[in-house]
């Protein structure tokens, strides 16, 4: 019987890691977590620069999904450090551990975000070849991806893939879709700001499938946008959710200044957004199960 290849996944308890695991049953899966609760989990502590190196024994692929929630709290200086460190320093910790063991892997796949291009609303459709933006999130994504690239430049991984993810639509109660659905259900649904800002979205099933696709297709490397082929605005998304739930939308748009007062700098995630191209991943042969918003919402609401 052929031995299963071992994959190490960070961000063990996140939505993507949990669902992706169901697609990778042909592999032997391990997880890095802050508190071990299962036999295939191994502890690490980024702040203390600790990693249980038993997790690395025989590993062929690493999928790096760890990262503190972007919109969970206001962006104080301290919170910004946590957001950055949880992504960048965690990758560097893994790299150091592999180098100390003189161990090489086949694949390092890192999460990233469509925020790489900056949170702006314009007519531009961003592709992987476009430059990074000039705000906090774009800098986080730049350093996040640079940390992943070190696995290649240091000769530790044969290939590196970076997945720039849009807003993932899922049934998760911490997710965007659940929060909008909850507001609409309580008759307080309203568009945010102008409502014209684009939301680069992707169904959670398609997102996990992209991770598996780039894993099994060994010729794929570099950066790929993980967003649905169809574009939608905040207004369109809110209206479509209300229609699916048979709820009216009668409130005026929530003014931008109120959101900025409530959420501070995080409000840019709500008030700005651009169109992102998925052409590259489709050209690589990937087919979206949910290419349009209507089919995505039907499966989730």
């Amino acid at each position: 019987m052929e031995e299963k290849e071992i994959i190490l996944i960070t961000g063990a308890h996140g939505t993507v890691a949990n669902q992706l695991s169901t697609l990778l049953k042909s592999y032997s899966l391990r997880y890095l977590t802050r508190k071990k609760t299962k036999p295939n989990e191994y502890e690490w502590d980024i702040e203390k620069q600790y990693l249980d190196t038993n997790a690395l024994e025989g590993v062929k692929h690493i999928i790096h999904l760890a990262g503190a929630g972007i919109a969970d709290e206001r962006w104080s200086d301290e919170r910004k450090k946590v957001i950055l460190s949880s992504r960048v320093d965690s990758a560097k910790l893994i790299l150091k551990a592999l180098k100390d063991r003189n161990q090489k892997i086949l694949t390092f796949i890192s999460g990233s975000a469509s925020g790489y291009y900056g949170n702006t609303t314009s007519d531009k459709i961003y592709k992987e070849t476009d430059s990074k933006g000039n705000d906090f999130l774009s800098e986080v994504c730049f350093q996040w991806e640079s940390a992943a690239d070190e696995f290649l430049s240091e000769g530790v991984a044969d290939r590196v893939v970076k997945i720039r993810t849009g807003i993932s639509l899922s049934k998760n109660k911490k997710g965007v879709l659940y929060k909008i659905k909850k507001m609409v259900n309580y008759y307080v649904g309203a568009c945010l700001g102008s409502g014209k800002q684009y939301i680069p979205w992707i169904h959670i099933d398609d997102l996990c499938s992209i991770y598996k696709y780039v894993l099994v297709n060994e010729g794929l490397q570099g950066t790929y946008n993980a967003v649905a082929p169809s574009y939608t605005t905040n207004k369109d998304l809110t209206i479509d959710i209300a229609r699916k739930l048979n709820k009216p939308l009668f409130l005026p748009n929530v003014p931008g200044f109120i959101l900025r007062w409530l959420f501070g700098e995080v409000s840019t995630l709500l008030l700005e957004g651009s169109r992102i191209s998925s052409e590259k991943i489709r050209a690589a042969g990937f087919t979206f199960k949910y290419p349009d918003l209507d089919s995505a919402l039907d499966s989730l609401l």
Side-chain angles (χ1 to χ4, degrees), residues 18-30:
N18 286 334
Q19 187 152 331
L20 178 59
S21 297
T22 65
L23 299 181
L24 300 177
K25 293 180 179 179
S26 61
Y27 296 86
S28 176
L29 303 181
R30 295 178 188 165

Side-chain angles (χ1 to χ4, degrees), residues 3 23 57-58 109 114 167 200 224 237 255:
E3 190 174 345
L23 299 181
E57 187 66 38
I109 302 174
S114 58
I167 292 174
Y224 294 89
L237 176 61

Side-chain angles (χ1 to χ4, degrees), residues 92-126:
K92 291 181 179 294
L93 178 59
I94 297 170
L95 178 62
K96 182 180 183 301
L98 288 170
K99 290 176 66 176
D100 287 347
R101 290 168 55 90
N102 196 28
Q103 178 178 346
K104 293 187 178 182
I105 60 174
L106 297 176
T107 314
F108 186 82
I109 302 174
S110 177
S112 185
S114 58
Y116 176 93
Y117 306 105
N119 281 306
T120 58
T121 304
S122 70
D123 294 330
K124 184 176 177 61
I125 300 176
Y126 288 91

Side-chain angles (χ1 to χ4, degrees), residues 5-8 30 54-62 98 101 103-107:
E5 287 189 327
I6 301 172
I7 299 177
L8 179 63
R30 295 178 188 165
N54 290 312
L56 300 174
E57 187 66 38
V59 165
K60 297 297 183 182
H61 313 278
I62 296 176
L98 288 170
R101 290 168 55 90
Q103 178 178 346
K104 293 187 178 182
I105 60 174
L106 297 176
T107 314

Side-chain angles (χ1 to χ4, degrees), residues 181-202:
K181 175 185 174 182
K182 187 175 181 180
M183 289 192 297
V184 170
N185 266 326
Y186 283 96
Y187 296 96
V188 293
C191 302
L192 305 179
S194 69
K196 296 179 181 179
Q197 64 274 31
Y198 287 98
I199 297 179
W201 65 277
I202 185 170

Side-chain angles (χ1 to χ4, degrees), residues 66-102:
I70 294 291
D72 289 356
E73 301 177 20
R74 291 176 71 98
W75 289 346
S76 63
D77 289 343
E78 188 59 34
R79 183 60 181 175
K80 284 183 175 181
K81 291 178 183 178
V82 171
I83 289 172
L84 182 63
S85 176
S86 62
R87 289 161 171 79
V88 177
D89 293 340
S90 56
K92 291 181 179 294
L93 178 59
I94 297 170
L95 178 62
K96 182 180 183 301
L98 288 170
K99 290 176 66 176
D100 287 347
R101 290 168 55 90
N102 196 28

